[in-house]
Each structure stands twice: as C-alpha cells, then as structure tokens.
Amino acid sequence: MDDPQDDDPGHPRYWQNLFGEASTPFEAEPDQPVALDTLRALYSAVLSNYDFTCAMTGARFAPPSEFLHDELAIAAIRPLTAGGMLHVSNFLCLERHAAEAFRDGYISVGPGLELIVDLSQLDPELLERLNPLGKLTLPQVEIAHPDRTAIAFHREHVFLGHL
C-alpha cells in the first residue's frame, strides 16, 4: 500500500521520490541504419585524407592491400552514440593502439591541437611514439580537419570523464 507521505508535496519523501527517479538520457535513434557503402566510403576517406599517417604518432603506412588496414584505424572524436557526426571531420586516423587509448579516454586533444595524455593510464611505448612536437598531425584537405567542437566534447566527456 502506498504511503500517504509519498503523495504530499509538503513532505520531504515526496520530493526525494520525485527527484530520485532514474531518468534515461535522450539519444536520438537514426531514422535508418547507416548504409554499409557510406561507412566504407567514410573509412577510406579518413585514411586517404590523412595519407595513411597516424594523427598522433606521425607514423606513415602504405595503403592497405585489402580494404581494411592492418595498422591503422579510424576513431570517432565525438562518439556517434553521443551525437557525433558521420563526417570525416569527426574522425581521426590513428595507429590501432592510439585509437584504443583515444576511445578509452587515456589521450585527447587540447584546444591548440596539443596532445593531452593521462600518464597513469597510457602505455609507455605509445607515449614514446607520440609526435615529439606534442601536436596532432592534420590532413592536408581542410574539410577533413578535426571538428573543434567534437574535440572539446571528447576532452570534456571522454578524457575527463574517465578520470
């Protein structure tokens, strides 16, 4: 049986129940699943725009012999599930270990495109391979430059969110 205090706005329990309810954040579902051809084109475009070079280490690789690259991955800056765009400016071309660290929030990018790392979490071997200038390598095509809003989102929600 319900307690009458649960329905009385003058009683603290009413407000605790009201504000204590779990809420599910709104996440827009795409109207349709993304076509495989679109994903393949995005993947190829990101690798090509970065000239098969890791944006964080500067390591350059040959184009893949098959469709997928053995050494490189693409990583969403602002995850698609968090409202990230399905556009080349929302993706980085990274060595597989760098992509994993970026997704896990162990490495991010500052407002001046400087690399920011969590030294307590980042693999020391990856740290040694990072660009010695401490900056993100940009693609030559300006439309493919990382979106600054997405970078800020990653830094604030993914990088700082894991600390």
Side-chain angles (χ1 to χ4, degrees):
M1 182 171 208
D2 289 332
D3 188 333
Q5 295 175 341
D6 290 344
D7 295 327
D8 179 9
H11 194 275
R13 189 178 309 158
Y14 172 87
W15 296 104
Q16 289 172 339
N17 290 340
L18 180 68
F19 293 117
E21 290 179 4
S23 62
T24 305
F26 173 75
E27 289 185 14
E29 295 270 335
D31 293 337
Q32 305 172 358
V34 179
L36 185 58
D37 289 343
T38 302
L39 295 174
R40 291 174 65 91
L42 177 71
Y43 177 82
S44 294
V46 173
L47 291 179
S48 177
N49 286 331
Y50 279 91
D51 197 25
F52 306 98
T53 302
C54 176
M56 292 188 176
T57 66
R60 189 157 190 266
F61 298 92
S65 56
E66 300 289 323
F67 176 70
L68 293 176
H69 204 286
D70 291 334
E71 303 294 331
L72 294 170
I74 68 169
I77 301 169
R78 181 174 183 156
L80 300 178
T81 57
M85 297 182 304
L86 196 61
H87 188 270
V88 291
S89 65
N90 187 44
F91 290 85
L92 297 174
C93 176
L94 301 172
E95 287 184 41
R96 294 207 174 275
H97 289 102
E100 200 174 293
F102 185 74
R103 285 185 201 109
D104 290 341
Y106 302 158
I107 188 166
S108 193
V109 181
L113 301 178
E114 67 276 8
L115 300 175
I116 303 171
V117 301
D118 178 350
L119 293 174
S120 69
Q121 297 292 325
L122 195 67
D123 177 8
E125 290 179 16
L126 175 58
L127 181 63
E128 286 181 23
R129 291 195 315 271
L130 292 178
N131 183 344
L133 299 176
K135 292 249 184 189
L136 197 65
T137 301
L138 298 177
Q140 290 184 355
V141 180
E142 192 169 328
I143 197 167
H145 284 198
D147 179 74
R148 299 292 179 132
T149 305
I151 288 174
F153 180 91
H154 183 274
R155 187 173 53 252
E156 293 168 19
H157 297 279
V158 180
F159 181 72
L160 293 176
H162 97 275
L163 297 176

